[in-house]
Amino acid sequence: MVMQPEPVVTGDAVQLEVSIAQLPVRAAAALIDVMVMGFGYLILSMLWALTLADFDPALSAAVLIIFLVLVLVGYPVTFEMASGGRSLGKMALGLRVVSEDGGPERLRQAVFRALSSVIEIWMLTGGPAVICSMLSPKGKRIGDVFAGTIVISERAPKLNPPPPMPPGLAWWAATLQLSGLGAEQANMARQFLTRSAQLQPQVRAEMGQRIAGQFVARISPPPPPGASAEEVLAAVLAERHRRELVRLQVPPSPGMPPGPGLPPTPSSAPPPPPPTAGFSAPT
């Protein structure tokens, strides 16, 4: 059970579509984690009791408090940092904690979420967390709000991989500003390129020109002379996908070679050719 894909804007102004985890799924993952933490605390307490030679109430109380901190804070922070935002409960249900910009969860965010959970989940029996998640459009609990994180589902349907980067347009794609390009236009272009071979040549050319025209109106700089509409769409989608992967720090899709680096600064970017009117018709 997941919500509909939710746009997340990265630091490169690229929109990612992620599936926000719904409250029942998060509650089930939290229940698994509670069981794991309870079992861990029980084991630690039993081991401590077995090592006692002389019973010292003050020392025992201090050690049990340390065990409690290790379980309530150390467990989620350690697992989420080691597994890329996933505790055992989240692993079981295919959930992951990420930053609001789509990047990986950071240490300070994991610590803040863990400390917040001590109050909103353990001390207040989860009531504030449930209420906040129900009121938040992205299903955030209080710890997520202040840590700047969201919990996403990794088991949502995956989109087809983007088309390969046209070799002659890689340098141009690396200089693109994509802040004006939304997920709706990207999905439309992806669907067109997937079905283009099945279209009649005239329909294919007209649709390619129209969609590429919408792209060019939302990106800069304009494409180089001689680039066809389909090449422009493929280059933009491939570069957009590459920046998503860089932001999320995951390997490229199989069969897709790594693209060029992030857009260079204006001083180091190769000068683009003068703009041309329109595109050449796709073949």
Side-chain angles (χ1 to χ4, degrees), residues 217-268:
R218 291 173 169 83
I219 62 175
S220 64
S228 70
E230 292 186 23
E231 288 176 337
V232 170
L233 296 177
V236 174
L237 291 181
E239 176 64 16
R240 185 176 184 270
H241 182 69
R242 185 193 67 80
R243 296 186 191 184
E244 293 177 7
L245 298 182
V246 171
R247 186 66 185 174
L248 296 175
Q249 296 182 0
V250 297
S253 302
M256 180 182 178
L262 286 176
T265 58
S267 59
S268 61

Side-chain angles (χ1 to χ4, degrees), residues 13-269:
V14 176
Q15 282 193 348
L16 310 180
E17 283 192 355
V18 296
S19 295
I20 305 298
Q22 217 172 31
L23 179 59
V25 184
R26 293 190 62 176
L31 180 60
I32 295 175
D33 287 330
V34 167
M35 296 173 61
V36 171
M37 287 187 278
F39 182 74
Y41 183 76
L42 178 62
I43 294 298
L44 290 175
S45 301
M46 292 176 61
L47 291 176
W48 170 247
L50 292 175
T51 60
L52 284 177
D54 297 320
F55 183 74
D56 186 341
L59 178 60
S60 295
V63 170
L64 291 178
I65 291 175
I66 293 175
F67 287 167
L68 190 62
V69 172
L70 288 176
V71 169
L72 298 185
V73 178
Y75 160 75
V77 171
T78 301
F79 266 86
E80 289 181 6
M81 287 295 95
S83 61
R86 295 175 295 177
S87 62
L88 290 178
K90 292 181 178 65
M91 288 182 188
L93 295 179
L95 306 182
R96 181 190 295 270
V97 181
V98 298
S99 298
E100 281 185 314
D101 61 1
E105 182 187 23
R106 301 173 181 86
L107 176 60
R108 61 176 178 80
Q109 293 173 320
V111 172
F112 200 101
R113 294 183 78 255
L115 293 175
S116 175
S117 69
V118 174
I119 299 176
E120 62 175 317
I121 295 179
W122 292 98
M123 296 179 62
L124 300 177
T125 65
V130 171
I131 295 174
C132 186
S133 296
M134 293 177 64
L135 297 178
S136 170
K138 294 184 178 180
K140 294 184 177 185
R141 65 176 176 87
I142 297 175
D144 292 316
V145 172
F146 290 101
T149 55
I150 55 176
V151 180
I152 65 173
S153 172
E154 298 184 301
R155 295 179 180 173
K158 303 295 183 182
L159 295 174
N160 293 329
M165 172 69 72
L169 296 181
W171 68 268
W172 168 71
T175 67
L176 286 175
Q177 297 294 329
L178 300 175
S179 57
L181 186 64
E184 181 179 353
Q185 290 80 29
N187 288 337
M188 179 171 57
R190 186 183 294 109
Q191 293 173 8
F192 165 72
L193 292 177
T194 302
R195 299 174 49 230
S196 60
Q198 306 171 6
L199 302 176
Q200 295 294 330
Q202 182 177 358
V203 175
R204 177 177 177 177
E206 292 177 354
M207 289 187 64
Q209 293 279 356
R210 176 171 55 83
I211 298 174
Q214 295 178 8
F215 266 49
V216 171
R218 291 173 169 83
I219 62 175
S220 64
S228 70
E230 292 186 23
E231 288 176 337
V232 170
L233 296 177
V236 174
L237 291 181
E239 176 64 16
R240 185 176 184 270
H241 182 69
R242 185 193 67 80
R243 296 186 191 184
E244 293 177 7
L245 298 182
V246 171
R247 186 66 185 174
L248 296 175
Q249 296 182 0
V250 297
S253 302
M256 180 182 178
L262 286 176
T265 58
S267 59
S268 61

